[in-house]
Short mmCIF file of all heavy atoms in Angstrom, two decimals:
data_model
loop_
_atom_site.label_atom_id
_atom_site.label_comp_id
_atom_site.label_asym_id
_atom_site.label_seq_id
_atom_site.Cartn_x
_atom_site.Cartn_y
_atom_site.Cartn_z
N SER A 10 -13.91 -17.41 2.62
CA SER A 10 -14.93 -18.03 1.79
C SER A 10 -15.81 -16.99 1.21
O SER A 10 -15.99 -15.91 1.77
CB SER A 10 -15.76 -19.05 2.65
OG SER A 10 -16.49 -18.34 3.61
N ALA A 11 -16.38 -17.28 0.04
CA ALA A 11 -17.40 -16.42 -0.60
C ALA A 11 -18.46 -17.37 -1.14
O ALA A 11 -18.12 -18.28 -1.84
CB ALA A 11 -16.74 -15.65 -1.72
N TRP A 12 -19.71 -17.18 -0.71
CA TRP A 12 -20.78 -18.05 -1.11
C TRP A 12 -21.66 -17.42 -2.15
O TRP A 12 -21.95 -16.23 -2.09
CB TRP A 12 -21.55 -18.50 0.11
CG TRP A 12 -20.72 -19.22 1.06
CD1 TRP A 12 -19.83 -20.26 0.78
CD2 TRP A 12 -20.56 -19.01 2.50
NE1 TRP A 12 -19.22 -20.72 1.93
CE2 TRP A 12 -19.65 -19.97 3.00
CE3 TRP A 12 -21.17 -18.20 3.44
CZ2 TRP A 12 -19.33 -20.10 4.36
CZ3 TRP A 12 -20.84 -18.31 4.72
CH2 TRP A 12 -19.95 -19.26 5.21
N LEU A 13 -22.13 -18.20 -3.07
CA LEU A 13 -22.95 -17.73 -4.20
C LEU A 13 -24.23 -17.00 -3.66
O LEU A 13 -24.65 -15.98 -4.25
CB LEU A 13 -23.38 -18.86 -5.11
CG LEU A 13 -22.25 -19.49 -5.93
CD1 LEU A 13 -22.76 -20.72 -6.68
CD2 LEU A 13 -21.63 -18.45 -6.88
N TRP A 14 -24.80 -17.48 -2.57
CA TRP A 14 -26.02 -16.89 -2.07
C TRP A 14 -25.78 -15.61 -1.24
O TRP A 14 -26.68 -14.94 -0.81
CB TRP A 14 -26.80 -17.88 -1.23
CG TRP A 14 -26.05 -18.43 -0.08
CD1 TRP A 14 -26.01 -17.93 1.20
CD2 TRP A 14 -25.23 -19.62 -0.03
NE1 TRP A 14 -25.18 -18.67 2.02
CE2 TRP A 14 -24.71 -19.77 1.25
CE3 TRP A 14 -24.85 -20.57 -1.04
CZ2 TRP A 14 -23.85 -20.81 1.61
CZ3 TRP A 14 -23.98 -21.61 -0.64
CH2 TRP A 14 -23.51 -21.69 0.65
N GLU A 15 -24.48 -15.21 -1.07
CA GLU A 15 -24.10 -13.98 -0.41
C GLU A 15 -23.09 -13.24 -1.29
O GLU A 15 -21.92 -13.07 -0.90
CB GLU A 15 -23.53 -14.29 0.93
CG GLU A 15 -24.47 -14.90 1.92
CD GLU A 15 -23.85 -15.28 3.26
OE1 GLU A 15 -22.64 -15.53 3.31
OE2 GLU A 15 -24.58 -15.29 4.25
N PRO A 16 -23.54 -12.73 -2.45
CA PRO A 16 -22.55 -12.12 -3.41
C PRO A 16 -21.92 -10.80 -2.92
O PRO A 16 -20.96 -10.37 -3.52
CB PRO A 16 -23.41 -11.94 -4.67
CG PRO A 16 -24.79 -11.78 -4.15
CD PRO A 16 -24.88 -12.67 -2.96
N ASP A 17 -22.51 -10.19 -1.90
CA ASP A 17 -22.00 -8.95 -1.44
C ASP A 17 -21.10 -9.00 -0.17
O ASP A 17 -20.83 -7.99 0.46
CB ASP A 17 -23.19 -7.98 -1.14
CG ASP A 17 -24.14 -8.53 -0.14
OD1 ASP A 17 -24.05 -9.74 0.18
OD2 ASP A 17 -24.96 -7.71 0.38
N GLN A 18 -20.66 -10.22 0.09
CA GLN A 18 -19.75 -10.36 1.29
C GLN A 18 -18.83 -11.54 1.19
O GLN A 18 -19.10 -12.48 0.42
CB GLN A 18 -20.57 -10.41 2.59
CG GLN A 18 -21.33 -11.68 2.75
CD GLN A 18 -22.15 -11.71 4.01
OE1 GLN A 18 -22.74 -10.71 4.38
NE2 GLN A 18 -22.19 -12.83 4.72
N ILE A 19 -17.75 -11.48 1.87
CA ILE A 19 -16.80 -12.58 2.03
C ILE A 19 -16.64 -12.82 3.51
O ILE A 19 -16.83 -11.88 4.32
CB ILE A 19 -15.44 -12.33 1.36
CG1 ILE A 19 -14.80 -11.02 1.76
CG2 ILE A 19 -15.66 -12.33 -0.22
CD1 ILE A 19 -13.46 -10.78 1.17
N ASN A 20 -16.23 -14.02 3.90
CA ASN A 20 -16.04 -14.36 5.20
C ASN A 20 -14.55 -14.74 5.42
O ASN A 20 -14.06 -15.56 4.70
CB ASN A 20 -16.89 -15.58 5.65
CG ASN A 20 -18.38 -15.24 5.48
OD1 ASN A 20 -18.92 -14.50 6.30
ND2 ASN A 20 -19.03 -15.78 4.51
N LEU A 21 -13.92 -14.07 6.40
CA LEU A 21 -12.58 -14.33 6.69
C LEU A 21 -12.50 -15.08 8.04
O LEU A 21 -13.08 -14.58 9.03
CB LEU A 21 -11.79 -12.99 6.73
CG LEU A 21 -10.34 -13.02 7.17
CD1 LEU A 21 -9.56 -13.75 6.20
CD2 LEU A 21 -9.86 -11.58 7.40
N PHE A 22 -11.83 -16.18 7.99
CA PHE A 22 -11.72 -17.02 9.25
C PHE A 22 -10.23 -17.03 9.61
O PHE A 22 -9.37 -17.25 8.71
CB PHE A 22 -12.22 -18.41 9.00
CG PHE A 22 -13.66 -18.57 8.71
CD1 PHE A 22 -14.09 -18.45 7.43
CD2 PHE A 22 -14.58 -18.69 9.76
CE1 PHE A 22 -15.45 -18.58 7.15
CE2 PHE A 22 -15.92 -18.80 9.48
CZ PHE A 22 -16.38 -18.73 8.20
N PHE A 23 -9.91 -16.85 10.84
CA PHE A 23 -8.50 -16.95 11.31
C PHE A 23 -8.43 -17.44 12.70
O PHE A 23 -9.37 -17.43 13.44
CB PHE A 23 -7.80 -15.61 11.10
CG PHE A 23 -8.44 -14.38 11.79
CD1 PHE A 23 -8.09 -14.11 13.10
CD2 PHE A 23 -9.45 -13.74 11.17
CE1 PHE A 23 -8.66 -12.96 13.73
CE2 PHE A 23 -9.98 -12.61 11.76
CZ PHE A 23 -9.62 -12.22 13.06
N PHE A 24 -7.20 -17.96 13.01
CA PHE A 24 -6.98 -18.54 14.38
C PHE A 24 -6.09 -17.60 15.19
O PHE A 24 -5.29 -16.85 14.65
CB PHE A 24 -6.24 -19.90 14.24
CG PHE A 24 -7.13 -20.97 13.74
CD1 PHE A 24 -7.22 -21.22 12.34
CD2 PHE A 24 -7.90 -21.78 14.56
CE1 PHE A 24 -8.02 -22.19 11.85
CE2 PHE A 24 -8.71 -22.80 14.09
CZ PHE A 24 -8.78 -23.01 12.69
N HIS A 25 -6.32 -17.70 16.45
CA HIS A 25 -5.44 -17.00 17.41
C HIS A 25 -5.05 -18.02 18.51
O HIS A 25 -5.95 -18.68 19.00
CB HIS A 25 -6.15 -15.72 18.03
CG HIS A 25 -5.41 -15.14 19.21
ND1 HIS A 25 -4.22 -14.46 19.02
CD2 HIS A 25 -5.57 -15.24 20.57
CE1 HIS A 25 -3.77 -14.11 20.22
NE2 HIS A 25 -4.57 -14.50 21.16
N PRO A 26 -3.83 -18.17 18.86
CA PRO A 26 -2.67 -17.44 18.42
C PRO A 26 -2.14 -17.85 17.07
O PRO A 26 -1.29 -17.25 16.51
CB PRO A 26 -1.65 -17.71 19.47
CG PRO A 26 -2.03 -19.02 20.09
CD PRO A 26 -3.49 -19.13 19.95
N GLY A 27 -2.68 -18.95 16.55
CA GLY A 27 -2.26 -19.41 15.20
C GLY A 27 -2.74 -20.87 15.07
O GLY A 27 -3.02 -21.52 16.03
N GLY A 28 -2.83 -21.34 13.81
CA GLY A 28 -3.28 -22.64 13.56
C GLY A 28 -2.45 -23.70 14.22
O GLY A 28 -2.95 -24.79 14.53
N ALA A 29 -1.14 -23.47 14.41
CA ALA A 29 -0.29 -24.48 15.04
C ALA A 29 -0.72 -24.82 16.49
O ALA A 29 -0.46 -25.92 16.95
CB ALA A 29 1.17 -23.97 15.07
N ALA A 30 -1.35 -23.90 17.16
CA ALA A 30 -1.80 -24.13 18.48
C ALA A 30 -2.80 -25.35 18.62
O ALA A 30 -2.78 -26.09 19.60
CB ALA A 30 -2.47 -22.88 19.13
N VAL A 31 -3.57 -25.50 17.55
CA VAL A 31 -4.56 -26.65 17.52
C VAL A 31 -3.72 -27.95 17.53
O VAL A 31 -4.11 -28.82 18.31
CB VAL A 31 -5.43 -26.55 16.29
CG1 VAL A 31 -6.36 -27.75 16.21
CG2 VAL A 31 -6.25 -25.24 16.26
N LYS A 32 -2.78 -28.02 16.73
CA LYS A 32 -1.96 -29.27 16.59
C LYS A 32 -1.09 -29.50 17.87
O LYS A 32 -0.81 -30.64 18.24
CB LYS A 32 -1.02 -29.17 15.39
CG LYS A 32 -1.74 -29.16 14.07
CD LYS A 32 -0.75 -29.00 12.95
CE LYS A 32 -1.43 -28.75 11.60
NZ LYS A 32 -0.53 -28.48 10.52
N GLU A 33 -0.64 -28.44 18.51
CA GLU A 33 0.21 -28.52 19.66
C GLU A 33 -0.58 -28.61 20.99
O GLU A 33 -0.04 -28.53 22.03
CB GLU A 33 1.16 -27.30 19.66
CG GLU A 33 2.02 -27.24 18.46
CD GLU A 33 2.79 -25.97 18.33
OE1 GLU A 33 2.62 -25.05 19.16
OE2 GLU A 33 3.56 -25.87 17.33
N ASP A 34 -1.89 -28.74 20.88
CA ASP A 34 -2.73 -28.85 22.07
C ASP A 34 -2.58 -27.70 23.06
O ASP A 34 -2.54 -27.87 24.24
CB ASP A 34 -2.47 -30.17 22.78
CG ASP A 34 -3.61 -30.58 23.74
OD1 ASP A 34 -4.78 -30.25 23.42
OD2 ASP A 34 -3.37 -31.30 24.68
N ARG A 35 -2.51 -26.49 22.47
CA ARG A 35 -2.46 -25.26 23.29
C ARG A 35 -3.78 -24.55 23.10
O ARG A 35 -4.52 -24.84 22.15
CB ARG A 35 -1.33 -24.35 22.83
CG ARG A 35 0.04 -24.89 23.07
CD ARG A 35 1.17 -23.90 22.76
NE ARG A 35 1.26 -23.79 21.25
CZ ARG A 35 1.15 -22.57 20.63
NH1 ARG A 35 0.99 -21.48 21.27
NH2 ARG A 35 1.27 -22.55 19.31
N PRO A 36 -4.17 -23.62 24.01
CA PRO A 36 -5.40 -22.89 23.79
C PRO A 36 -5.43 -22.11 22.52
O PRO A 36 -4.39 -21.57 22.05
CB PRO A 36 -5.34 -21.83 24.97
CG PRO A 36 -4.47 -22.44 26.00
CD PRO A 36 -3.47 -23.22 25.20
N TRP A 37 -6.55 -22.13 21.81
CA TRP A 37 -6.74 -21.48 20.55
C TRP A 37 -8.21 -20.99 20.37
O TRP A 37 -9.08 -21.51 21.02
CB TRP A 37 -6.35 -22.39 19.33
CG TRP A 37 -7.19 -23.63 19.28
CD1 TRP A 37 -6.95 -24.82 19.95
CD2 TRP A 37 -8.45 -23.84 18.63
NE1 TRP A 37 -7.97 -25.71 19.71
CE2 TRP A 37 -8.89 -25.14 18.85
CE3 TRP A 37 -9.26 -22.94 17.81
CZ2 TRP A 37 -10.09 -25.63 18.31
CZ3 TRP A 37 -10.44 -23.49 17.31
CH2 TRP A 37 -10.83 -24.79 17.56
N LEU A 38 -8.41 -20.04 19.58
CA LEU A 38 -9.73 -19.57 19.17
C LEU A 38 -9.75 -19.38 17.71
O LEU A 38 -8.80 -19.06 17.03
CB LEU A 38 -10.07 -18.28 19.92
CG LEU A 38 -10.24 -18.33 21.33
CD1 LEU A 38 -10.46 -16.87 21.92
CD2 LEU A 38 -11.44 -19.19 21.75
N GLN A 39 -10.94 -19.54 17.10
CA GLN A 39 -11.19 -19.22 15.73
C GLN A 39 -12.11 -18.04 15.68
O GLN A 39 -13.07 -17.97 16.43
CB GLN A 39 -11.80 -20.42 14.94
CG GLN A 39 -11.97 -20.12 13.49
CD GLN A 39 -12.58 -21.25 12.71
OE1 GLN A 39 -13.36 -22.03 13.32
NE2 GLN A 39 -12.31 -21.36 11.48
N PHE A 40 -11.72 -17.11 14.78
CA PHE A 40 -12.56 -15.86 14.65
C PHE A 40 -13.13 -15.85 13.24
O PHE A 40 -12.54 -16.42 12.29
CB PHE A 40 -11.66 -14.64 14.80
CG PHE A 40 -11.22 -14.44 16.21
CD1 PHE A 40 -10.09 -15.06 16.76
CD2 PHE A 40 -11.86 -13.50 16.99
CE1 PHE A 40 -9.67 -14.87 18.01
CE2 PHE A 40 -11.45 -13.23 18.31
CZ PHE A 40 -10.37 -13.90 18.87
N ARG A 41 -14.26 -15.12 13.08
CA ARG A 41 -14.86 -14.95 11.75
C ARG A 41 -15.18 -13.46 11.62
O ARG A 41 -15.69 -12.86 12.57
CB ARG A 41 -16.17 -15.69 11.66
CG ARG A 41 -16.92 -15.43 10.36
CD ARG A 41 -18.30 -16.10 10.32
NE ARG A 41 -18.96 -15.72 9.12
CZ ARG A 41 -20.23 -15.98 8.84
NH1 ARG A 41 -20.98 -16.55 9.82
NH2 ARG A 41 -20.79 -15.65 7.76
N MET A 42 -14.83 -12.91 10.50
CA MET A 42 -15.09 -11.52 10.16
C MET A 42 -15.77 -11.50 8.85
O MET A 42 -15.31 -12.11 7.89
CB MET A 42 -13.79 -10.70 10.15
CG MET A 42 -13.93 -9.30 9.74
SD MET A 42 -12.35 -8.46 9.65
CE MET A 42 -12.27 -7.75 11.28
N THR A 43 -16.87 -10.79 8.79
CA THR A 43 -17.59 -10.65 7.49
C THR A 43 -17.25 -9.33 6.88
O THR A 43 -17.36 -8.27 7.51
CB THR A 43 -19.16 -10.78 7.76
OG1 THR A 43 -19.40 -12.02 8.28
CG2 THR A 43 -19.91 -10.60 6.43
N LEU A 44 -16.80 -9.36 5.63
CA LEU A 44 -16.38 -8.16 4.94
C LEU A 44 -17.30 -7.89 3.74
O LEU A 44 -17.64 -8.79 3.00
CB LEU A 44 -14.94 -8.33 4.46
CG LEU A 44 -13.92 -8.74 5.45
CD1 LEU A 44 -12.59 -9.15 4.80
CD2 LEU A 44 -13.68 -7.57 6.42
N ASN A 45 -17.76 -6.62 3.61
CA ASN A 45 -18.63 -6.28 2.51
C ASN A 45 -17.85 -6.03 1.29
O ASN A 45 -16.78 -5.42 1.31
CB ASN A 45 -19.44 -5.03 2.92
CG ASN A 45 -20.36 -5.33 4.03
OD1 ASN A 45 -20.99 -6.37 4.13
ND2 ASN A 45 -20.47 -4.41 4.99
N VAL A 46 -18.35 -6.48 0.12
CA VAL A 46 -17.71 -6.23 -1.19
C VAL A 46 -18.84 -5.79 -2.11
O VAL A 46 -20.05 -5.98 -1.90
CB VAL A 46 -17.02 -7.54 -1.71
CG1 VAL A 46 -15.86 -7.90 -0.86
CG2 VAL A 46 -17.99 -8.69 -1.86
N SER A 47 -18.44 -5.22 -3.23
CA SER A 47 -19.33 -4.72 -4.26
C SER A 47 -19.00 -5.33 -5.61
O SER A 47 -18.05 -6.07 -5.70
CB SER A 47 -19.33 -3.20 -4.30
OG SER A 47 -18.15 -2.81 -4.84
N GLY A 48 -19.71 -4.92 -6.60
CA GLY A 48 -19.42 -5.40 -7.95
C GLY A 48 -18.35 -4.56 -8.61
O GLY A 48 -18.06 -4.69 -9.81
N GLY A 49 -17.65 -3.69 -7.85
CA GLY A 49 -16.61 -2.87 -8.37
C GLY A 49 -15.30 -3.64 -8.71
O GLY A 49 -15.28 -4.81 -8.64
N ASP A 50 -14.31 -2.88 -9.05
CA ASP A 50 -13.00 -3.42 -9.39
C ASP A 50 -12.46 -4.31 -8.28
O ASP A 50 -12.20 -3.79 -7.17
CB ASP A 50 -12.05 -2.27 -9.71
CG ASP A 50 -10.64 -2.77 -10.05
OD1 ASP A 50 -10.51 -3.76 -10.77
OD2 ASP A 50 -9.68 -2.19 -9.48
N PRO A 51 -12.26 -5.63 -8.56
CA PRO A 51 -11.73 -6.52 -7.53
C PRO A 51 -10.37 -6.15 -6.96
O PRO A 51 -10.10 -6.27 -5.83
CB PRO A 51 -11.67 -7.88 -8.21
CG PRO A 51 -12.61 -7.78 -9.38
CD PRO A 51 -12.57 -6.33 -9.77
N ALA A 52 -9.44 -5.72 -7.83
CA ALA A 52 -8.14 -5.35 -7.37
C ALA A 52 -8.20 -4.09 -6.40
O ALA A 52 -7.55 -4.09 -5.34
CB ALA A 52 -7.25 -4.99 -8.51
N ALA A 53 -9.02 -3.14 -6.76
CA ALA A 53 -9.20 -2.00 -5.85
C ALA A 53 -9.84 -2.38 -4.53
O ALA A 53 -9.36 -1.92 -3.44
CB ALA A 53 -10.03 -0.90 -6.52
N GLN A 54 -10.83 -3.24 -4.55
CA GLN A 54 -11.47 -3.73 -3.28
C GLN A 54 -10.44 -4.55 -2.42
O GLN A 54 -10.41 -4.43 -1.26
CB GLN A 54 -12.66 -4.59 -3.58
CG GLN A 54 -13.80 -3.71 -4.11
CD GLN A 54 -15.04 -4.55 -4.24
OE1 GLN A 54 -15.68 -4.85 -3.24
NE2 GLN A 54 -15.41 -4.87 -5.48
N ALA A 55 -9.65 -5.42 -3.10
CA ALA A 55 -8.68 -6.24 -2.37
C ALA A 55 -7.68 -5.28 -1.66
O ALA A 55 -7.34 -5.52 -0.55
CB ALA A 55 -7.98 -7.19 -3.31
N GLN A 56 -7.25 -4.25 -2.36
CA GLN A 56 -6.33 -3.25 -1.76
C GLN A 56 -6.95 -2.60 -0.53
O GLN A 56 -6.32 -2.43 0.50
CB GLN A 56 -5.88 -2.28 -2.78
CG GLN A 56 -4.94 -1.16 -2.23
CD GLN A 56 -3.60 -1.73 -1.84
OE1 GLN A 56 -3.12 -2.71 -2.43
NE2 GLN A 56 -3.01 -1.19 -0.81
N GLN A 57 -8.18 -2.16 -0.70
CA GLN A 57 -8.88 -1.43 0.39
C GLN A 57 -9.08 -2.38 1.56
O GLN A 57 -8.82 -1.97 2.71
CB GLN A 57 -10.24 -0.94 -0.09
CG GLN A 57 -11.03 -0.24 1.00
CD GLN A 57 -12.34 0.23 0.54
OE1 GLN A 57 -12.75 0.21 -0.61
NE2 GLN A 57 -13.18 0.61 1.54
#
């Protein structure tokens, strides 16, 4: 996700061990990582 009120960051959410664990009633966790971005070249930032 990227929110208008936070133009210098994106939020990456992911599951461990994977999203299927939620459906299969196995232990799971969701993680959030905040990544900093700038007004620079989007392709270069995506690669980095």
